[in-house]
Amino acid sequence: MKYKHALFLYPYIEKSIEMCLFPPTGLEYVATSAKDHVGKVTLVDLRYDKILCDTGKLMDFIRKNIDIICVSVSWNRQVEEVYRLLNFMPDEIPLVVGGYKATEDVDEIFKRCPKVDIIVRGEGEETIKEIAKDVPFEKILGISYRSGGRIIHNKNRQLPDINDITPPNRRLRQYEYSMISNGIKVTSVTFDTILSSRGCPFNCKFCTFSLNLLGQKRNYASRSAESVVEEIEGVSAGIILFSDENFFTEPDRAEEICDLIIARKIKKRFVAQTRIDLAEYPELLKKIVKAGFKMLLLGIESPHDRILTVLNKGFDQDTIRKRLSVLRKQPIICHGYFIYGNIGETEEEMLYISKFSKEIGLDTVAFSKLRVDKNSPLKEIVKNTPGYHLTSKGEVYSDRYSHSYLKKIHRRLRFSFYTPFRVLKIAAKILKIRFVTFHEIMPLVVVAPLLLKRIIEKEIKEKRLVKSIKHILWHKT
């Protein structure tokens, strides 16, 4: 073996709850693929490793132990910090990066991070095997690399069959994944993810699930129900997120998975992304409740019919209301995703999203600015619409609503929906349906004063404490 010890590094430092709940499963897939082709694999997640998140100690560890470094560059957040870390890496050790952000910004990363030797574009499970086996660079599909002062871009690698991909080896982990806020652990329940399918048969215009950053069509493909449940049985975490774009794309298969979970008496709690079409399958709804599904993540996107048409969602506001009236009858948390800042959307229409979310009975919501990825059909629409622009991260803004103004709208939406009463109502439902138990949230009771102190300190640092208090007390839109 050419490499005796490979480091697979997740370089992000904890800054919010959503960043810490789940393991870096994509990196784990790649590390698992490399495992049989290197002497040893070490997986480090800087969100949890309080020693190696010190850059000096991380460099000491690498120089003493590591002979190839593989880094996941997946997000638009913390970009400067990640690039700075890449530039600290030892010159003599090969540095490979991959992930969504790396695929999106190959040339930018090579320009700003001169120590990066190889960028893996797209999915890296097969590519990392060839790198580990010391296959000549020019023969490895799906990579970009430095050669003689130039950057060489090899042809893309074809998307693999999902059934040929080995599930992540969870024994590579050094940590249990739980809910952390402002550096404080707030529950004892643990989290994990499982991928049971890839791709999506729908064609929403803002989405790249069916067309990836390389312009490749990702046809929907699923694993067998038996293989999915076998993986579930090997997971120790209490809550499992199915990271499929739409877990219920094949209702019969989803029902088979539920039947196996029930028959084998697996006591887990599940979270899944889905469309509101799930409401059309009443028998399946009963089974997912019995199997332990506690939360549905629903891509609703907008309450406005003309925007839903532009986004090609395939339903209208009336359909949303009818299907939510079915879903909310189940003892399940209904979480809605919405996009604001759409082309032609007024401030009044944006702010209505919060009111609409309450009207249709959503328990929790997330609001995101319209963002356009590299191969999104919306990119040309934005470019050809007078007064609309894109940030370097692909976020859409306009002459009328600047990037900073849209941030203010986001805060108004959030405070309008998450009133103190609604937060209590959410907590009560979470306990009622046993998404988490009172025993599991006891750590929150203990650390609540310290957590509140850190939140207040953060608001003071951001110079928005008074404004936040006003929003909470009067929750005006």
Side-chain angles (χ1 to χ4, degrees):
M1 292 180 178
K2 177 178 175 65
Y3 298 109
K4 296 179 181 179
H5 195 167
L7 171 66
F8 286 82
L9 178 67
Y10 194 71
Y12 299 92
I13 305 296
E14 182 270 327
K15 285 192 174 181
S16 62
I17 288 177
E18 60 268 24
M19 279 193 68
C20 285
L21 282 179
F22 297 103
T25 312
L27 183 63
E28 291 180 345
Y29 268 99
V30 178
T32 299
S33 294
K35 190 174 183 299
D36 293 335
H37 306 285
V38 297
K40 181 181 179 180
V41 166
T42 293
L43 185 68
V44 171
D45 185 342
L46 294 186
R47 297 173 300 172
Y48 280 77
D49 199 310
K50 300 308 178 186
I51 296 175
L52 294 183
C53 68
D54 178 286
T55 302
K57 292 178 180 178
L58 176 62
M59 294 306 119
D60 287 343
F61 170 77
I62 289 173
R63 290 189 179 94
K64 291 176 183 177
N65 300 280
I66 303 300
D67 54 6
I68 184 170
I69 307 162
C70 304
V71 183
S72 173
V73 182
S74 302
W75 307 105
N76 278 306
R77 54 183 174 238
Q78 298 185 30
V79 170
E80 296 303 321
E81 294 94 327
V82 171
Y83 288 172
R84 193 177 304 119
L85 181 62
L86 293 176
N87 288 328
F88 269 112
M89 295 296 175
D91 293 319
E92 67 276 10
I93 301 176
L95 177 57
V96 182
V97 303
Y100 190 93
K101 177 68 175 175
T103 301
E104 187 177 41
D105 288 333
V106 172
D107 292 327
E108 177 73 7
I109 290 175
F110 274 127
K111 178 181 177 181
R112 298 192 56 188
C113 306
K115 295 189 178 183
V116 171
D117 299 297
I118 305 172
I119 293 178
V120 177
R121 308 189 311 270
E123 294 164 18
E125 290 91 350
E126 293 302 313
T127 305
I128 197 65
K129 291 179 185 177
E130 296 182 6
I131 293 172
K133 290 189 287 188
D134 202 25
V135 173
F137 288 175
E138 63 270 17
K139 295 183 178 180
I140 303 177
L141 295 176
I143 68 168
S144 299
Y145 62 97
R146 299 183 193 274
S147 177
R150 296 189 304 130
I151 304 298
I152 307 297
H153 303 286
N154 290 356
K155 291 182 179 179
N156 294 335
R157 184 179 293 275
Q158 292 301 306
L159 295 170
D161 186 323
I162 189 171
N163 293 298
D164 294 336
I165 301 173
T166 304
N169 183 345
R170 292 172 170 84
R171 287 174 293 185
L172 293 175
R173 294 179 190 165
Q174 303 180 57
Y175 333 95
E176 286 190 331
Y177 287 82
S178 58
M179 186 178 291
I180 295 176
S181 177
N182 291 274
I184 301 170
K185 184 176 179 179
V186 297
T187 73
S188 62
V189 67
T190 52
F191 296 79
D192 206 338
T193 65
I194 285 179
L195 180 68
S196 82
S197 68
R198 281 185 172 176
C200 180
F202 299 95
N203 293 291
C204 302
K205 283 189 179 178
F206 61 89
C207 181
T208 56
F209 288 152
S210 59
L211 191 70
N212 69 12
L213 288 171
L214 302 174
Q216 296 170 313
K217 175 68 176 176
R218 187 196 295 277
N219 295 318
Y220 175 79
S222 59
R223 296 167 53 191
S224 70
E226 180 67 34
S227 73
V228 174
V229 177
E230 283 181 3
E231 186 174 351
I232 291 171
E233 289 181 306
V235 172
S236 61
I239 296 177
I240 295 174
L241 166 70
F242 286 104
S243 53
D244 308 41
E245 285 83 22
N246 180 4
F247 179 76
F248 299 100
T249 296
E250 299 174 310
D252 290 343
R253 171 180 165 275
E255 189 168 343
E256 185 181 356
I257 290 172
C258 290
D259 286 338
L260 288 170
I261 291 171
I262 295 165
R264 298 182 188 182
K265 299 180 180 180
I266 298 172
K267 302 300 180 184
K268 300 284 184 187
R269 289 152 282 179
F270 302 101
V271 179
Q273 299 184 94
T274 184
R275 286 170 62 91
I276 58 173
D277 307 358
L278 177 61
E280 298 179 338
Y281 301 91
E283 291 305 312
L284 177 55
L285 274 174
K286 292 177 184 177
K287 285 192 176 180
I288 70 173
V289 171
K290 189 173 181 181
F293 283 76
K294 300 294 184 181
M295 188 173 193
L296 297 175
L297 310 178
L298 305 165
I300 298 172
E301 319 313 348
S302 177
H304 309 296
D305 288 348
R306 63 180 178 78
I307 293 173
L308 291 168
T309 299
V310 170
L311 297 179
N312 199 31
K313 284 299 296 183
F315 50 71
D316 57 16
Q317 186 192 115
D318 186 56
T319 304
I320 295 170
R321 291 183 183 275
K322 288 176 180 177
R323 290 178 180 168
L324 259 294
S325 69
V326 174
L327 294 176
R328 71 186 183 205
K329 292 177 183 177
Q330 305 299 324
I332 290 179
I333 300 291
C334 288
H335 177 84
Y337 290 114
F338 287 91
I339 297 172
Y340 66 96
N342 293 284
I343 296 173
E345 190 173 28
T346 66
E347 182 173 351
E348 183 181 7
E349 288 175 321
M350 294 183 220
L351 294 175
Y352 175 64
I353 293 172
S354 176
K355 182 180 178 182
F356 178 72
S357 300
K358 297 172 187 177
E359 291 173 356
I360 63 176
L362 289 172
D363 298 297
T364 57
V365 292
F367 312 103
S368 300
K369 291 190 295 293
L370 180 64
R371 185 181 183 278
V372 176
D373 290 312
K374 185 176 181 181
N375 291 303
S376 169
L378 282 178
K379 190 168 187 177
E380 286 304 310
I381 296 176
V382 173
K383 283 186 174 181
N384 293 326
T385 303
Y388 278 81
H389 317 279
L390 291 173
T391 70
S392 59
K393 297 179 181 180
E395 293 171 316
V396 179
Y397 67 99
S398 67
D399 293 341
R400 185 176 183 185
Y401 302 116
S402 67
H403 186 55
S404 60
Y405 196 82
L406 288 172
K407 284 185 176 181
K408 292 178 181 178
I409 288 178
H410 180 273
R411 284 177 61 80
R412 293 173 68 186
L413 282 168
R414 185 157 51 89
F415 279 110
S416 174
F417 185 85
Y418 288 107
T419 63
F421 175 75
R422 183 164 295 275
V423 171
L424 291 174
K425 189 176 178 181
I426 295 166
K429 184 169 182 178
I430 286 172
L431 290 171
K432 182 179 179 181
I433 68 172
R434 297 187 66 80
F435 191 176
V436 296
T437 65
F438 184 74
H439 175 75
E440 288 169 338
I441 63 168
M442 276 302 294
L444 176 59
V445 177
V446 175
V447 302
L450 178 58
L451 180 59
L452 181 61
K453 177 176 178 289
R454 291 194 181 179
I455 292 173
I456 291 173
E457 288 173 347
K458 182 178 179 181
E459 291 293 301
I460 292 173
K461 184 178 180 181
E462 298 290 335
K463 297 181 180 179
R464 61 190 188 191
L465 178 62
V466 174
K467 188 176 292 186
S468 295
I469 291 173
K470 287 180 179 178
H471 276 303
I472 291 170
L473 293 178
W474 290 285
H475 42 268
K476 296 178 182 178
T477 59

